[in-house]
Amino acid sequence: KPGDAMEVDWAGDTIPLYDSVTGEESAAYLFLAALPCSCMDYAEAREDMRTESWLLCHVHAFNYFGGVTRLLIPDNCKTATISNNRYEMILNRSYQELAEHYGTAIVPARVRKPRDKSHAEGSVRFAETWIIAALRNQRFFSLRELNEAVREKLDELNNRPFKQRVGTRRSAFLEEEKSFLRPLPAHDFEPAVWSVAKVGVDYLVSDGLNKYSVPCNLIGEQVDIRTTSTMVEVLYHGGLVAAHKRFQTRQHDPI
């Protein structure tokens, strides 16, 4: 149905990135999103497949399509689900926050059931030949440069005429699906990464780079840490007990 679902996945192959000074090679990963009704695609290269990259790709995909689908259908990667079997399904907390912000529901594909997200699987395979293979002879020295080339190939793909029907992915999207998408919220979602920590005797918790103080009566207690690009929030039994501006570099005295 138009506007019903967005299927998302990472491509299996990577794209090489080169350091402009040393020439050292690293891998860039390609995120794919597909709308099953119109077959409209979105693609974006990222330096890693961590939670923050996963969430930002969704934000950018929704902005590219100009709306939100009723359902999100991801694979069973750790950035989407913690557990998914016949007895229970536990979603990644950060991913659930994104779904709540955009008013959509997450329905992960069943394990070893590729037909649950056949359009995304097909888009991944097609993107590997249309985008990745087409760029194999080019050298990219920044993620921005790579994404400019990816966007150019993506536009070619979405404007490419269908072989067995009239029109293109873009024309089908504009005529049949765009009006059925739910409106975007007023503000983009800010990705947050959740973690759990035990408060030490120094009543400090860490975001992996710096340490931040919490009330001293929480020594020995387990707390939830919500980290964004700008803030570190500490919650105890669901209540906010401390909030700090996040330092982007290591500080000698972050308190």
Side-chain angles (χ1 to χ4, degrees), residues 164-175:
Q164 299 181 350
R165 56 185 285 195
V166 177
T168 64
R169 287 172 168 80
R170 188 175 300 279
S171 65
F173 169 73
L174 295 174
E175 296 169 8

Side-chain angles (χ1 to χ4, degrees), residues 77-152:
C77 55
K78 289 299 182 182
T79 50
T81 61
I82 297 174
S83 174
N84 184 20
N85 53 49
R86 61 174 17 175
Y87 302 110
E88 65 175 357
M89 180 184 70
I90 302 176
L91 294 172
N92 180 296
R93 191 169 182 178
S94 303
Y95 200 29
Q96 182 63 54
E97 272 194 329
L98 177 138
E100 292 173 355
H101 179 83
Y102 284 100
T104 186
I106 301 171
V107 184
R110 293 169 294 173
V111 179
R112 292 185 293 276
K113 297 290 185 180
R115 290 186 179 181
D116 286 357
K117 49 194 287 293
S118 58
H119 289 84
E121 295 287 348
S123 293
V124 166
R125 289 193 298 269
F126 198 76
E128 288 178 349
T129 56
W130 189 267
I131 298 178
I132 297 179
L135 302 178
R136 66 185 180 276
N137 295 323
Q138 299 184 43
R139 293 172 68 91
F140 300 99
F141 297 94
S142 70
L143 194 64
R144 179 178 180 179
E145 181 184 358
L146 171 57
N147 270 316
E148 288 176 354
V150 169
R151 178 58 66 89
E152 182 179 341

